[in-house]
Amino acid sequence: RTCSDAFKSAAGHLRAHRAQADMAEDETKMQSVRVVVRVRPMNDKELKNNTLPVVTGSTDKREVTLIRGVGQRQIRQTYNFDSVFTSFSSQAEVFQTIHPLISEVMQGFEATVFAYGQTGTGKTHTMEGDLASEEFKGIIPRAVEAIFERLNDKDKYVSYNVKASYLEIYNEELSDLLLENGEAKGAYNGVRAIDESIPKLSLVEDRGEPKRRGRGVFVHNLSDHEVGCASDVLGLISHAQERRRVGETKMNKHSSRSHCVFTLTVTTHEFTSDGCTMECMGKLHLVDLAGSECAKSAGSGANDARERERKNINQSLLTLGRVISTLREAGKDGARIPYRDSKLTRLLQESLGGRCKTVVIATLSPSQLAVEESSSTLSYVEKAKGITNKPVATSFLKVGGPGVGPVSGRGDKIDANEASMQDWNAMLARMKYMEEQMNEAQAALARKHTLQAEIIARSEAAELARDTAQAELQAQQAVAEGLRCQLAEVEAERRGGAGGRGGGGGAR
């Protein structure tokens, strides 16, 4: 009984935390990459030139239609996605599609949202938007505000820590957009000074150890800035926007010439109902990719630096497309996935086929002039729908109150933080084992109880049979006693009659 009670107590203790975070099912569930498509409205230049729109979307049907060719040779292709937005959709409506990721980040999951598409289709508008406008601000500022709105729940969170980083990938070179480097400020002008005092950034892979889960691929020397509110983060974003490389192209006057990755690391602490502390560390990666641009659209007047940019951008995006295609077909032929062929794909390794929850936002132009790029974008993101990730949360459970530490077998006191901090996955494994042990103990007790019940039933039946037999015996004894009395009376009468007959003969 003592062993069973211990199992019940431990299992109940851990089951409460599992139910609170709702991670037991999520960690074992494969989740597909979600794909969202946004079709921008015709711009002033396209309207002025009377450009034919050939891409349309339906929000209700969640489908995009692309028309190629003219007249009788016209071909209409329809694609279906998780969500579709058109020129009538607001920034707030687009954000609602990724809003569930905020809750999952607060639970300790890693999530990625990245915008993919041709230059000039609205990727930066979708991801950043106008930070000063409530109506036109993009996904990044809205996600930041949603996170801090949840963190302000004092009844739930004991404490929290939020850090922000902003990485730029330009011509396969890594840059930190949040460093205080005066020479690095300003929009792209073809040349950028390099400060030798700034630590060089490099991609590093932490595979972990048998008892420690690794960090995966991360950027070494990338600065993390602790922030206390949404306005702090928006200030960093504004600061980074001034440093990001942009330039004028034939397709876009303010074209982003680099890939940017904005990351928020959210660490929360909350008390559980039994006095323990749950620590969750989630990450939200918001990626604004540079836009693809074919040589025909770029024109022949581009200088060498701009042409090099275009080739590097297209090369990294082509590698991204190969990664997506290979992941889609990996289950059939086990082909090598080319993550290492570019820094962008290596950085997004966990987002595509890894342990992240991922949403891809594809942006399209409705113009006939961009029909080939739109078709290519739709083909890529349609393949991305078939990619499955296995999200894993990073959560820890602190058991015991502050200042209370366990004692080793030798009598040495163990540091409470080191001893009480346990990886959530290990806790789930232990809980599963204890639940199975508890179930086995309960089954054994049930079998013993059934056997005991059968013995008791047989005993009670035997006692009833005994009592019945005793009652019948007593009844038979009473009948026998009555017969014995009757027999004695008859015998007495017989003897009396025989004596009378003998006395009468003697008198004669």
Side-chain angles (χ1 to χ4, degrees), residues 327-381:
L327 283 170
R328 180 69 180 265
E329 303 297 328
K332 299 179 181 179
D333 54 16
R336 169 187 169 270
I337 302 173
Y339 288 122
R340 293 179 176 270
D341 289 1
S342 79
K343 292 183 178 179
L344 173 65
T345 51
R346 194 177 180 198
L347 194 62
L348 294 177
Q349 183 170 339
E350 293 294 347
S351 304
L352 296 171
R355 58 192 182 192
C356 281
K357 293 175 178 282
T358 302
V359 176
V360 179
I361 301 178
T363 56
L364 300 175
S365 165
S367 171
Q368 185 182 31
L369 299 176
V371 65
E372 296 299 330
E373 288 84 353
S374 298
S375 177
S376 175
T377 299
L378 288 170
S379 297
Y380 277 144
V381 296

Side-chain angles (χ1 to χ4, degrees), residues 373-480:
E373 288 84 353
S374 298
S375 177
S376 175
T377 299
L378 288 170
S379 297
Y380 277 144
V381 296
E382 187 180 40
K383 292 177 181 177
K385 284 181 62 179
I387 298 174
T388 55
N389 294 352
K390 189 174 182 180
V392 178
T394 302
S395 303
F396 300 91
L397 182 66
K398 289 185 177 180
V399 183
V404 179
V407 179
S408 69
R410 300 186 305 270
D412 302 325
K413 189 170 182 179
I414 304 173
D415 181 39
N417 290 330
E418 294 181 2
S420 63
M421 187 71 74
Q422 303 181 49
D423 185 79
W424 179 256
N425 296 323
M427 294 288 284
L428 288 178
R430 292 189 182 96
M431 187 194 70
K432 182 66 176 177
Y433 172 77
M434 287 189 286
E435 283 184 341
E436 291 177 355
Q437 292 294 96
M438 182 189 68
N439 292 335
E440 286 296 318
Q442 288 179 339
L445 289 174
R447 289 193 296 270
K448 291 182 179 180
H449 178 74
T450 302
L451 180 61
Q452 185 180 10
E454 291 176 356
I455 294 173
I456 292 174
R458 289 199 298 268
S459 175
E460 290 177 349
E463 289 178 355
L464 180 62
R466 182 200 63 189
D467 294 341
T468 302
Q470 287 179 346
E472 291 179 354
L473 178 61
Q474 290 176 358
Q476 293 296 330
Q477 288 176 344
V479 171

Side-chain angles (χ1 to χ4, degrees), residues 72-273:
Q72 295 181 349
R73 296 185 177 181
Q74 188 179 92
I75 300 175
R76 183 182 296 266
Q77 296 173 295
T78 301
Y79 303 82
N80 294 96
F81 299 99
D82 296 296
S83 298
V84 173
F85 297 99
T86 66
S87 58
F88 297 98
S89 303
S90 64
Q91 294 278 69
E93 290 173 333
V94 176
F95 174 70
Q96 286 303 315
T97 61
I98 67 104
H99 192 270
L101 293 180
I102 303 301
S103 300
E104 292 163 338
V105 168
M106 304 298 288
Q107 293 175 1
F109 286 96
E110 193 168 347
T112 301
V113 180
F114 66 88
Y116 178 91
Q118 183 193 15
T119 183
T121 54
K123 295 183 301 300
T124 302
H125 173 71
T126 298
M127 296 303 294
E128 295 183 359
D130 185 353
L131 300 181
S133 171
E134 184 65 29
E135 180 181 1
F136 296 111
K137 60 186 178 184
I139 288 176
I140 294 178
R142 292 178 187 273
V144 170
E145 291 173 355
I147 287 174
F148 277 99
E149 182 179 353
R150 289 175 178 267
L151 291 174
N152 288 332
D153 186 356
K154 303 299 183 182
D155 295 333
K156 183 174 183 180
Y157 297 108
V158 180
S159 62
Y160 63 83
N161 178 271
V162 182
K163 293 183 178 180
S165 64
Y166 217 144
L167 174 71
E168 181 186 52
I169 305 176
Y170 172 73
N171 285 341
E172 288 297 293
E173 295 293 330
L174 306 178
S175 302
D176 191 336
L177 292 178
L178 299 183
L179 283 181
E180 293 296 334
N181 175 22
E183 294 182 348
K185 292 182 180 180
Y188 171 76
N189 58 4
V191 179
R192 198 169 198 179
I194 299 176
D195 189 343
E196 297 295 339
S197 65
I198 299 177
K200 185 177 180 179
L201 304 183
S202 60
L203 286 176
V204 179
E205 184 172 5
D206 178 13
R207 295 179 180 271
E209 299 172 358
K211 295 185 178 181
R212 179 185 65 85
R213 193 177 72 189
R215 295 174 58 185
V217 178
F218 66 97
V219 181
H220 181 59
N221 287 328
L222 182 65
S223 64
D224 284 326
H225 296 253
E226 189 169 337
V227 290
C229 60
S231 60
D232 292 346
V233 183
L234 298 182
L236 291 176
I237 296 173
S238 298
H239 187 60
Q241 284 178 337
E242 298 175 359
R243 298 164 176 250
R244 185 178 183 180
R245 291 172 170 90
V246 296
E248 183 175 355
T249 67
K250 186 178 178 180
M251 297 293 294
N252 186 7
K253 187 175 181 180
H254 300 285
S255 176
S256 300
R257 312 308 295 165
S258 62
H259 310 301
C260 286
V261 182
F262 176 76
T263 300
L264 275 182
T265 303
V266 184
T267 305
T268 61
H269 299 86
E270 55 181 300
F271 281 135
T272 61
S273 58

